[in-house]
Amino acid sequence: MISIGTDIVYIKRLEEKKFFEKIFHQSELRHNNSQKLAGIIAVKEACFKALGVSSRWLEIEVKYKKSGQPYLVFSNELKSKIEDYSCSISHDGEYAVAVVIFQLKE
Amino acid sequence: MNPQTLKYYIEHLINFYKEREVIVYKKKYHTERWSYLDLYNFTHKVAAFFTVKGISKGDKILIYAPNRPEWDGIFLGCALSGVIAVPIDFNSRPQFASNIYKEVEAKLIFVSIYKQVEGTNQVYIEDLRYILESIDQKEINVHIDENTILEIVYTSGTTSDPKGVIITNKNLIRNIRSIGKVMPLEKNSIFLSILPLSHLFEQVIGFLNCLRYGAKIVYLGSRKSSQIIEALKQEKITNILTVPIFLALLKEKIEARITDQRRFTTLLKIFKTKPLFLKKIIFGRIHKKLGGHLKFFIVGGAFLDSKIEDFWNSIGITVFQGYGLTETSPVVSCNTPRERKEHSAGKVIPDVKVKIGQDGEILVKGPNVTPGYYQNPDETKKHIQEGWLSTGDIGVIDKDGYLFLKGRKKDMILSSSGINIYPEDIEYVLNRIEEVKDSCVFGEEKEGKTMIIAAILLKGETNSQEVMRKANKQLNLSQQINKIIAWPEEDFPRTSTLKIKKSEVARRLKSKEPIFKKTIPKNRLLTLLSKFTSGSITKKSNLMTDLKIDSVYRVELLAQIEEEYDVEISEDSINQNTTVKDLENLIEKATKVSTRQDFKTWPLNIGVLRSFFQQILFTALRLFCKLEVIGKENLVNIKKPVIFVANHNSHLDTPIILKALPFYLRKKMAVAAAADYFFERKFWLPIFVRIFLNAYPFSRTSAIRRSLKYSGWLMDQGYSILNYPEGTRSIDGKMGNFKIGIGIMVKEMDAWVVPLRLTGTHKILPKGRSLPKRGKVQLIFSEPLIFSYKDSYVDIARRLEKTIKTLQ
């Protein structure tokens, strides 16, 4: 079974918020700017929608390949539901958007 | 080595206080303790790090991070290598740090992961310790003398353009020496640090001066008042360095809890002059609430209301007020145990000269006065003439030599008739009025006349005109308030040391800028919610659809609820249907749970008794269980508390693991046991598991912060922890998924992990069965895993699951 999720985030919301540690891993925070962080939120939210789970922010870690392409590392629990996945993040001006598609395990 | 340098100071000190604890850093879940030697080594490594990075004497680096031991180490490292430190208040905006970085042409900036500065050469202070691991300490052969610049401190935002104050080694060391002549600290002083280290007041009095006496400093990872109260008790704090508003707030909190106000006020009056030991008895409960060891406050930075000073002195916690500025490194005068005068700023300290100039301005001269402002000869000339610094403060010195502050020269209002009016005097009168929480008075020119305008924060629903009338009755003719405005926001704009930004208040009132007018709702939760949405909020409002609180705002909302109510609400409990009323119920429920689950710290150390019971248990085990242990040699290197992680099949798992452990590890073991299963059902079960297994409740259902906190406390006490990440027993012996919680625990505790695998227990006493069958059990200990600071919670949880799954 396949499942898809998407999300859009207004980048300006992310300047200097105190609760970052609940949403982002330390490795994700090292990516300086609000733009990238907005993209990370978008892709995580997209996953939660596609998987039909609540927002378990710290159960997904967003990493980047040398090429700049993002890839996702899932917690044990989430991974057990996923056969395969693919994701994509984009920004333009004030918004960041992401889409994820999963092939779920039976 | 020149003795008038911080370098000499550091090298000299360390020979006295090697193993003594210097810094206690209370992090989210556990506590870090640094000895003088630890700090010394770290400092030297920082100096070596600078060399490696090509940063040398005269180069500037910024420190834009919260108070923590590494901050101290970086600063001292600069002192050793002649690198100039530029501390930036962590509360200021990243843009400010970026501007300063460019202005001083800094080579590097130490930042926090949570607040980065784009376009700079950053080093994360959270990573520093690990980065330094691979750097060797080297000999530092840099010539430092008394005139070598130590740091450039940018003054706070009450003025328009912050100026960089140059502080040399001489400035600081001489100031410390002068203070030491009149106010030596007790050797066992323990300071709680709440002001930012970027401020000289905290830096010199709350850090550098403490080192001289072998005192201890406690840094907090969070500013929550619950953390402060906890630290006061746990670390037995004796002194706090603070600003007047903190004392005012604390006083308010205490008074709010007093049932018989009249009796209390009477007691305060009677015991004001009585000996200390009596005060401690009469006001015993207050002392206890503040940890029981608090001796005195050191206060500076703003005008201290005499009423507040009296309050604390009456209770038995002495307030020592002092005066100084960044430009004077920083102390000019202070009250001391021997020479104290109420409501004064104390006597001028030795080696410092003070004279009162025209207008009554305080002028200072001495070795502690800055050579000037960074790359700003005009300002330097303007403020320092023939060695005398114009402080911008107005004051008088009485016949006994005590300095009294009247106000800021800048804030002074020149009345139409040419009289000097100090807004502080008017604010003083206003603040005494019952309904007034705080006030801000300034002058305004209107058609050639000077108007005195007061902005006030009202406590409840009061007529501000009434307040003005009351105040004017007590004020002189020249001080009469012409116009009064109730400030519509919850608070005035303030600096990070909580001084009111007067110019900002005046500007906004003048420009008639639409200030966010809020009708403050009576309900605490509604007030909190109103920060997220400007529309109307009712109990029936749906969080998602009506208030537009989406998943990201939800995280922020829950974080604020956590801070406000000190409870944890997990994200899972909120969905598309949750209304404000539902949220209220959740908070209520969580509050009940947390008060129930206040972990009574049981005598964990019932060592001998527990061993005895455990031996009985182990003997019983032997009847039906043949145990084979592999890999015990992996436990040899364990010197600090570790986290044992195992797969879970049966209730027998814990006793078997305990049996297999060598005694020296077993006696300092605590087991995380499901709170809902073991501690909330049968009455005898909690007692049983506590005694036999030293188990403690670990929440499986609601948010885990409290459980993590207790786990951290246990590890601080030297206990290793056993944890089953699956969260439940597997039925068929096949391993389930390791929950993310174990990743969080391991990373936050910064501990080694010993993975172990148990096979066979699901056949002996599986889930659901009450009587054991005979059988064989195999227990494999793997070698300890040490995770890198780069590993995330997800990495850790996954790697642990994989390791144990593949243990053969």
Side-chain angles (χ1 to χ4, degrees):
Chain A
M1 195 183 106
I2 59 164
S3 182
I4 191 167
T6 182
D7 192 49
I8 182 167
V9 175
Y10 183 51
I11 298 176
K12 282 232 171 90
R13 282 170 52 171
L14 292 185
E15 317 207 310
E16 271 191 65
K17 296 282 179 179
K18 282 178 255 173
F19 55 91
F20 274 2
E21 55 179 18
K22 296 199 193 273
I23 299 186
F24 300 105
H25 291 274
Q26 283 188 9
S27 58
E28 292 165 346
L29 282 174
R30 278 152 212 236
H31 297 300
N32 254 318
N33 56 67
S34 315
Q35 224 187 34
K36 273 224 162 96
L37 292 180
I40 291 175
I41 291 187
V43 77
K44 288 191 186 183
E45 235 340 76
C47 288
F48 302 140
K49 288 184 190 172
L51 293 171
V53 297
S54 61
S55 307
R56 307 183 191 176
W57 301 99
L58 296 176
E59 290 199 35
I60 304 180
E61 190 184 356
V62 181
K63 289 186 165 163
Y64 296 85
K65 295 187 187 162
K66 282 211 174 87
S67 58
Q69 199 190 4
Y71 66 97
L72 308 176
V73 183
F74 297 97
S75 72
N76 295 311
E77 276 181 273
L78 292 182
K79 187 156 200 328
S80 64
K81 302 184 200 244
I82 302 168
E83 185 67 53
D84 201 0
Y85 81 98
S86 186
C87 71
S88 179
I89 305 176
S90 178
H91 335 89
D92 187 7
E94 306 189 314
Y95 293 91
V97 69
V99 72
V100 185
I101 185 164
F102 290 105
Q103 178 162 62
L104 301 174
K105 286 202 176 139
E106 300 309 311
Chain B
M1 221 188 297
N2 190 317
Q4 286 204 69
T5 61
L6 195 50
K7 182 170 178 165
Y8 177 85
Y9 186 74
I10 298 166
E11 299 290 343
H12 206 59
L13 268 179
I14 205 58
N15 293 321
F16 283 116
Y17 303 125
K18 290 200 165 75
E19 294 305 326
R20 255 178 103 83
E21 231 169 58
V22 62
I23 295 170
V24 175
Y25 183 31
K26 301 203 79 73
K27 294 161 90 166
K28 205 154 66 164
Y29 301 118
H30 79 121
T31 304
E32 245 179 57
R33 291 175 192 274
W34 291 50
S35 68
Y36 275 80
L37 189 59
D38 291 333
L39 184 59
Y40 181 80
N41 290 335
F42 189 90
T43 300
H44 275 262
K45 283 206 165 180
V46 170
F49 173 76
F50 285 143
T51 315
V52 165
K53 290 282 174 182
I55 300 174
S56 49
K57 180 177 170 187
D59 287 335
K60 290 117 191 148
I61 59 106
L62 265 62
I63 313 176
Y64 179 55
N67 286 12
R68 46 190 295 165
E70 290 88 342
W71 202 111
D72 295 344
I74 295 169
F75 184 80
L76 295 178
C78 288
L80 287 185
S81 39
V83 171
I84 299 175
V86 183
I88 304 287
D89 191 338
F90 192 56
N91 293 307
S92 55
R93 306 188 143 234
Q95 189 56 49
F96 180 69
S98 175
N99 293 341
I100 304 291
Y101 185 90
K102 289 193 196 94
E103 181 169 317
V104 302
E105 292 170 322
K107 290 276 167 78
L108 193 83
I109 179 171
F110 289 96
V111 296
S112 158
I113 295 178
Y114 297 100
K115 217 169 180 185
Q116 298 172 47
V117 185
E118 292 183 41
T120 60
N121 185 10
Q122 296 181 124
V123 172
Y124 296 110
I125 199 168
E126 289 94 350
D127 297 346
L128 189 55
R129 190 197 333 190
Y130 306 105
I131 296 173
L132 293 180
E133 266 168 19
S134 49
I135 297 194
D136 298 314
Q137 283 188 43
K138 287 190 201 82
E139 266 245 27
I140 312 161
N141 286 318
V142 182
H143 174 73
I144 312 274
D145 65 40
E146 57 187 35
N147 293 315
T148 309
I149 299 176
L150 199 50
E151 58 182 323
I152 301 173
V153 184
Y154 279 83
T155 49
S156 79
T158 37
T159 51
S160 39
D161 257 308
K163 304 185 279 281
V165 179
I166 297 175
I167 303 283
T168 62
N169 274 271
K170 178 167 89 171
N171 292 147
L172 256 182
I173 295 295
R174 291 297 295 269
N175 202 243
I176 293 177
R177 290 239 199 99
S178 300
I179 303 167
K181 286 181 188 168
V182 289
M183 190 144 173
L185 280 181
E186 270 175 40
K187 190 165 172 208
N188 296 314
S189 300
I190 304 175
F191 276 77
L192 178 64
S193 170
I194 46 183
L195 297 177
L197 279 162
S198 47
H199 222 255
L200 273 191
F201 184 39
E202 173 67 31
Q203 211 185 94
V204 176
I205 318 267
F207 164 42
L208 297 171
N209 189 45
C210 295
L211 301 183
R212 191 181 183 181
Y213 302 96
K216 191 158 51 167
I217 306 161
V218 177
Y219 292 123
L220 298 176
S222 107
R223 280 269 203 88
K224 285 203 272 195
S225 49
S226 53
Q227 267 239 350
I228 295 177
I229 300 286
E230 223 178 78
L232 285 173
K233 192 160 73 171
Q234 276 177 6
E235 300 302 325
K236 305 195 174 69
I237 305 290
T238 61
N239 316 317
I240 304 181
L241 200 74
T242 184
V243 286
I245 196 168
F246 177 79
L247 292 183
L249 288 173
L250 198 53
K251 169 174 177 274
E252 238 178 70
K253 276 206 160 144
I254 290 175
E255 283 175 331
R257 285 172 165 234
I258 303 286
T259 38
D260 193 341
Q261 292 282 352
R262 254 177 148 205
R263 179 165 170 267
F264 186 63
T265 322
T266 321
L267 280 174
L268 283 175
K269 267 197 217 131
I270 300 173
F271 283 88
K272 187 169 174 198
T273 48
K274 298 285 181 288
L276 182 61
F277 80 93
L278 271 181
K279 289 178 183 176
K280 279 189 158 173
I281 297 172
I282 298 295
F283 300 108
R285 272 173 60 190
I286 297 176
H287 281 269
K288 190 158 174 240
K289 191 72 208 270
L290 297 175
H293 292 86
L294 200 49
K295 291 204 178 111
F296 60 85
F297 293 113
I298 301 177
V299 172
F303 197 69
L304 175 65
D305 192 319
S306 53
K307 203 173 176 191
I308 299 174
E309 189 181 338
D310 290 340
F311 173 83
W312 289 105
N313 287 331
S314 294
I315 291 199
I317 300 174
T318 322
V319 175
F320 289 106
Q321 204 185 161
Y323 165 70
L325 351 160
T326 307
E327 288 89 338
T328 56
S329 326
V331 183
V332 172
S333 71
C334 71
N335 282 291
T336 70
R338 263 191 229 128
E339 294 192 298
R340 247 184 85 216
K341 205 180 228 189
E342 278 189 341
H343 314 160
S344 83
K347 279 195 176 169
V348 176
I349 60 176
D351 306 325
V352 175
K353 290 199 211 74
V354 165
K355 71 178 180 193
I356 308 290
Q358 27 167 244
D359 307 338
E361 184 175 0
I362 300 171
L363 303 168
V364 182
K365 188 173 188 173
N368 59 326
V369 173
T370 174
Y373 297 102
Y374 181 70
Q375 287 184 353
N376 204 335
D378 295 331
E379 284 292 322
T380 306
K381 228 180 274 175
K382 199 166 120 190
H383 288 84
I384 307 175
Q385 279 151 6
E386 287 168 16
W388 288 96
L389 170 78
S390 309
T391 62
D393 292 312
I394 314 282
V396 293
I397 299 182
D398 74 0
K399 56 174 168 51
D400 299 319
Y402 288 90
L403 178 65
F404 286 82
L405 294 173
K406 298 228 82 206
R408 292 261 336 135
K409 189 174 178 186
K410 239 187 189 181
D411 295 338
M412 201 167 67
I413 305 169
L414 195 61
S415 81
S416 318
S417 39
I419 302 174
N420 287 343
I421 302 166
Y422 300 104
E424 288 87 352
D425 293 337
I426 304 175
E427 283 159 8
Y428 182 79
V429 167
L430 280 168
N431 290 344
R432 293 243 157 151
I433 296 173
E434 187 67 46
E435 299 88 343
V436 178
K437 208 167 163 187
D438 206 348
S439 60
C440 177
V441 172
F442 53 93
E444 206 178 84
E445 284 286 311
K446 201 170 180 186
E447 296 154 8
K449 281 174 89 182
T450 310
M451 308 278 283
I452 296 179
I453 310 192
I456 51 174
L457 284 177
L458 285 170
K459 271 189 196 152
E461 309 283 322
T462 322
N463 189 326
S464 49
Q465 298 300 315
E466 189 44 48
V467 172
M468 186 165 92
R469 223 169 298 150
K470 273 193 196 168
N472 279 338
K473 269 207 199 129
Q474 302 173 49
L475 294 167
N476 300 336
L477 208 58
S478 54
Q479 293 172 317
Q480 294 292 298
I481 303 169
N482 300 118
K483 185 163 137 192
I484 196 162
I485 303 160
W487 187 252
E489 290 182 16
E490 253 187 271
D491 195 5
F492 291 119
R494 292 181 192 266
T495 67
S496 64
T497 43
L498 304 180
K499 278 194 250 215
I500 300 175
K501 286 186 180 167
K502 264 198 192 177
S503 49
E504 178 72 19
V505 172
R507 186 189 68 84
R508 284 162 75 170
L509 286 177
K510 198 170 184 184
S511 70
K512 290 190 168 61
E513 215 175 77
I515 304 170
F516 182 32
K517 225 176 173 84
K518 254 202 307 224
T519 40
I520 301 170
K522 307 237 168 71
N523 185 310
R524 222 175 6 154
L525 179 58
L526 292 181
T527 316
L528 223 158
L529 284 169
S530 64
K531 291 195 187 128
F532 290 86
T533 173
S534 46
S536 68
I537 311 169
T538 68
K539 299 242 171 142
K540 287 207 185 137
S541 306
N542 180 303
L543 291 182
M544 236 186 253
T545 51
D546 296 326
L547 304 182
K548 307 273 185 280
I549 295 178
D550 69 358
S551 53
V552 177
Y553 274 142
R554 191 163 59 224
V555 178
E556 185 174 3
L557 173 63
L558 289 179
Q560 292 214 11
I561 289 180
E562 208 176 282
E563 231 182 89
E564 178 74 32
Y565 295 92
D566 199 23
V567 289
E568 263 178 284
I569 305 216
S570 73
E571 289 232 18
D572 291 335
S573 38
I574 302 194
N575 55 38
Q576 314 93 298
N577 300 321
T578 315
T579 63
V580 175
K581 184 83 185 110
D582 293 332
L583 189 57
E584 221 172 48
N585 292 338
L586 281 171
I587 296 173
E588 229 185 274
K589 208 168 88 172
T591 318
K592 286 210 192 98
V593 168
S594 74
T595 40
R596 219 184 340 127
Q597 258 188 17
D598 250 320
F599 298 122
K600 304 173 195 101
T601 42
W602 263 57
L604 299 164
N605 220 358
I606 47 168
V608 174
L609 197 62
R610 179 171 293 124
S611 301
F612 176 68
F613 282 126
Q614 281 180 345
Q615 286 308 323
I616 299 176
L617 192 61
F618 299 158
T619 317
L621 269 181
R622 246 184 295 187
L623 294 175
F624 45 83
C625 186
K626 187 159 188 267
L627 177 61
E628 181 195 2
V629 181
I630 304 175
K632 214 165 165 179
E633 63 276 6
N634 287 317
L635 304 176
V636 183
N637 291 324
I638 297 175
K639 298 280 180 287
K640 292 184 305 179
V642 295
I643 300 178
F644 288 93
V645 166
N647 58 325
H648 203 21
N649 295 314
S650 157
H651 281 319
L652 290 181
D653 292 343
T654 303
I656 290 176
I657 294 171
L658 288 177
K659 180 169 187 278
L661 286 173
F663 180 65
Y664 72 93
L665 281 177
R666 187 192 318 143
K667 70 174 180 188
K668 280 285 205 171
M669 274 289 298
V671 184
D676 53 304
Y677 187 90
F678 287 99
F679 293 88
E680 286 167 25
R681 302 188 310 152
K682 310 177 174 130
F683 73 94
W684 57 269
L685 201 47
I687 305 170
F688 179 82
V689 294
R690 269 195 150 119
I691 295 181
F692 279 78
L693 309 173
N694 203 12
Y696 68 97
F698 198 93
S699 179
R700 289 199 287 198
T701 50
S702 52
I704 58 173
R705 264 190 10 122
R706 204 166 276 261
S707 312
L708 284 175
K709 200 136 181 250
Y710 194 57
S711 308
W713 181 81
L714 282 169
M715 291 193 82
D716 286 342
Q717 307 297 112
Y719 285 83
S720 291
I721 296 191
L722 170 60
N723 193 295
Y724 299 106
E726 285 164 270
T728 184
R729 290 165 292 163
S730 135
I731 298 179
D732 51 7
K734 258 185 28 200
M735 246 175 69
N737 291 317
F738 276 16
K739 296 200 194 290
I740 193 76
I742 189 66
I744 300 177
M745 187 190 236
V746 169
K747 193 168 171 76
E748 294 294 334
M749 304 297 157
D750 202 17
W752 289 8
V753 182
V754 176
L756 50 100
R757 185 179 184 134
L758 267 175
T759 349
T761 51
H762 74 282
K763 290 205 188 103
I764 299 178
L765 186 67
K767 192 169 185 174
R769 190 99 73 70
S770 325
L771 286 173
K773 250 169 48 172
R774 298 186 80 179
K776 274 199 257 190
V777 176
Q778 189 191 59
L779 170 56
I780 310 175
F781 285 106
S782 167
E783 55 178 19
L785 285 178
I786 306 172
F787 290 95
S788 144
Y789 70 99
K790 293 197 179 142
D791 291 324
S792 69
Y793 304 143
V794 178
D795 292 330
I796 296 172
R798 281 181 60 150
R799 194 158 150 212
L800 281 175
E801 185 183 294
K802 194 162 169 210
T803 307
I804 295 183
K805 244 189 191 143
T806 55
L807 260 183
Q808 294 295 347

